Amino acid sequence: MRRNRDPQTFANGTTVLDRMARILAARGIDQATVNTPGAGAEPYSPLEALSAGMPPRYRDAVATHPQVLAWVRQVADQAVAPSTGARRQLTTGPSLLMAGVVGAGKTHQAYGAVRALVQAGIGVRWRATTAADLYAELRPSSGTDGEQVLAAYSRVPLLILDDLGAAKSSEFVEEQTYRLINRRYNHCLPTLITTNLAIGALRAYLGDRVASRLRQMTTQVEFEPVDRRRHQRVA
């Protein structure tokens, strides 16, 4: 039975398996010995496949914030198995909005939350993007279908939307953010959102429609005003 029907796909069209193959090659490991049945090697574990699809900085991220861990438990409890004996899959669930200063650890916690779900035995199809990169993908350009891009981010079962509010506000930004958030709101798709803005400032940046939906669909977490990156450099 094929479990991973829709592997994590990156902007350049590669998949988790492509990334894993490159990692194996860089380590001098023959992929045939890994994938060939009966070769004596273990197949890719879900956590290994997940790590291959993550930015290197966050491959070992661990969620430690109490409210992030509570979100993981809540989402895991709502996961369902598509058939008897199959791994439970993330389908719908609540969202989480993490707000705090630059370097507070919000992105680390978001990737750690995804890893925690996989470690809990939950099948997760996911995507991650910064808000600025998303808007760049959605802007009209030759060879790019913005509607397909928006549909991919709107429909994926779990989305990390990083740095919401970092891009310059405009009618385009407000409209595209509304379309994305509204679709995920309507379909109850879990979304991990990080922002450097104070939660109270989101309404002025995104407009009433987006702010209202975020308020209803997310648990809102204010991180301590500490730049952990700066402290790590000093240490």
Side-chain angles (χ1 to χ4, degrees), residues 36-235:
T36 303
E42 291 293 327
Y44 304 144
S45 71
L47 190 58
E48 287 172 335
L50 174 72
S51 296
M54 285 187 166
R57 184 171 298 279
Y58 300 112
R59 285 177 186 164
D60 297 320
V62 177
T64 56
H65 193 288
Q67 288 177 278
V68 176
L69 292 174
W71 176 87
V72 170
R73 290 190 295 270
Q74 190 175 2
V75 171
D77 287 344
Q78 294 186 27
V80 296
S83 60
T84 303
R87 188 158 55 122
R88 289 187 297 148
Q89 302 291 319
L90 185 152
T91 53
T92 60
S95 296
L96 194 67
L97 173 63
M98 294 171 277
V101 299
V102 173
K106 305 179 298 296
T107 305
H108 182 97
Q109 293 292 319
Y111 280 102
V114 180
R115 294 186 75 249
L117 285 171
V118 173
Q119 288 175 316
I122 307 301
V124 181
R125 289 194 294 115
W126 66 289
R127 282 177 175 261
T129 185
T130 66
D133 286 337
L134 174 64
Y135 303 138
E137 288 188 69
L138 292 174
R139 290 190 186 281
S141 63
S142 60
T144 301
D145 187 333
E147 290 301 316
Q148 288 187 354
V149 171
L150 182 63
Y153 285 111
S154 299
R155 296 171 181 169
V156 69
L158 175 62
L159 174 65
I160 295 177
L161 181 59
D162 204 14
D163 280 340
L164 183 64
K168 184 177 180 180
S169 181
S170 67
E171 289 185 7
F172 175 84
V173 164
E174 184 174 334
E175 176 187 356
Q176 297 303 323
T177 305
Y178 168 74
R179 295 181 68 198
L180 173 67
I181 296 301
N182 186 58
R183 291 182 186 185
R184 299 192 66 80
Y185 168 84
N186 286 340
H187 292 283
C188 302
L189 295 174
T191 310
L192 290 165
I193 303 168
T194 75
T195 181
N196 297 333
L197 297 176
I199 289 176
L202 286 173
R203 181 179 297 276
Y205 176 79
L206 297 170
D208 290 341
R209 296 180 303 171
V210 175
S212 175
R213 284 160 176 78
L214 288 178
R215 185 172 59 251
Q216 186 171 354
M217 70 188 274
T218 67
T219 297
Q220 299 176 359
V221 183
E222 291 272 12
F223 277 59
E224 294 182 7
V226 177
D227 187 339
R228 299 180 185 276
R229 296 190 190 115
R230 180 175 298 177
H231 281 281
Q232 288 170 355
R233 288 197 300 270
V234 172

Side-chain angles (χ1 to χ4, degrees), residues 11-33:
N12 61 4
T14 61
T15 66
V16 166
L17 297 182
D18 297 328
R19 181 75 63 85
M20 181 64 78
R22 288 199 296 271
I23 292 173
L24 293 174
R27 294 178 180 177
I29 301 173
D30 184 357
Q31 185 178 355
T33 64

